[in-house]
Amino acid sequence: MTVQPGTYNITLQRRADYNVLLQFKDSTGTAIDITGYTVAAQVWDKARTTKSADFSITYTDRPNGEVTLGLTGTQTEAFPDQELYYDVLVTDTGGVKSYYLEGIIFIQQGYTG
């Protein structure tokens, strides 16, 4: 199945944890059962020469297509002062890999703490 990735840009605070719940749906808006699927997401510079982080993946509700992506404060603290890029790769039970989401990560400093 060919998937046109959605775009979701993220603004996060340096040194703060970040979590987002995703739900995968088909073209009719019906949740995709992701039982047995693998989800991966990484953060890179634009040139894709330096990886900044791997998102943690928590399978929140596989039958309803839900996963939570996470970054820790330790990871976000190490992010460089530039826009970063990420995507979400889903591998189905047949081994077919599709990018479902992509976007830019904007870093704000955060002053408390």
Side-chain angles (χ1 to χ4, degrees):
M1 165 172 60
T2 301
V3 175
Q4 178 64 41
T7 301
Y8 180 71
N9 295 329
I10 299 168
T11 300
L12 57 82
Q13 300 298 118
R14 186 178 306 283
R15 296 178 301 283
D17 295 339
Y18 176 81
N19 293 292
V20 63
L21 175 68
L22 302 179
Q23 184 179 37
F24 299 104
K25 295 181 179 182
D26 65 19
S27 60
T28 67
T30 303
I32 299 169
D33 183 349
I34 59 168
T35 301
Y37 287 31
T38 302
V39 177
Q42 298 178 336
V43 180
W44 289 82
D45 65 342
K46 186 171 186 173
R48 202 178 184 283
T49 56
T50 304
K51 181 169 73 167
S52 293
D54 291 300
F55 281 89
S56 65
I57 308 295
T58 303
Y59 296 95
T60 313
D61 184 350
R62 284 181 183 265
N64 287 309
E66 293 183 358
V67 299
T68 299
L69 303 183
L71 294 167
T72 67
T74 301
Q75 288 173 304
T76 64
E77 180 176 21
F79 284 177
D81 290 328
Q82 64 186 36
E83 293 177 353
L84 297 171
Y85 295 78
Y86 80 98
D87 53 26
V88 179
L89 178 66
V90 178
T91 305
D92 71 17
T93 55
V96 175
K97 297 179 182 219
S98 301
Y99 289 97
Y100 273 78
L101 189 64
E102 62 189 9
I104 302 170
I105 298 176
F106 301 98
I107 311 300
Q108 294 184 343
Q109 289 305 313
Y111 296 98
T112 303

